[in-house]
Amino acid sequence: MIVGKVVGSIVSTRKNDKLIGNKFMIVEPVHRMQADSSQIVAIDNIGAGIGEYVLVAQGSAARIGCGLETAPVDAAIVGIIDDGAGLE
């Protein structure tokens, strides 16, 4: 699981049927948690907003965490952080 900041959203009108009705956000991992990429796209079914710090699950944990075990999901926002002081 990583901590990141929501920096934008993505609109996709054509997608896999199992993803219809879901919101997608662009998450930028906090500096200490960045790996190969500086931004990831994460499915969001908890209502995170731009500027909020979030917890992101990746891989099979992402599918389980958002209740879409059979959907092509690699990253999911699974929590919104109340106090992001000291993360950046």
Side-chain angles (χ1 to χ4, degrees), residues 74-86:
D74 186 51
I77 296 173
V78 295
I80 298 172
I81 297 173
D82 295 329
D83 183 5

Side-chain angles (χ1 to χ4, degrees), residues 2 4 8-9 15 18 35 37 39 45 53 60-61 65 69-70 83 86:
I2 63 169
S9 63
K15 57 188 160 240
K18 295 179 181 179
S37 61
Q39 294 182 337
N45 57 9
Y53 286 98
S60 61
E69 289 85 358
T70 61
D83 183 5

Side-chain angles (χ1 to χ4, degrees), residues 10 12-24 41-45 62-63 66-76:
I10 290 182
S12 173
T13 54
R14 295 184 63 175
K15 57 188 160 240
N16 183 285
D17 289 342
K18 295 179 181 179
L19 298 176
I20 292 173
N22 288 288
K23 182 171 91 171
F24 298 93
V41 175
I43 196 166
D44 173 30
N45 57 9
R63 291 187 294 279
C66 68
L68 298 171
E69 289 85 358
T70 61
V73 174
D74 186 51

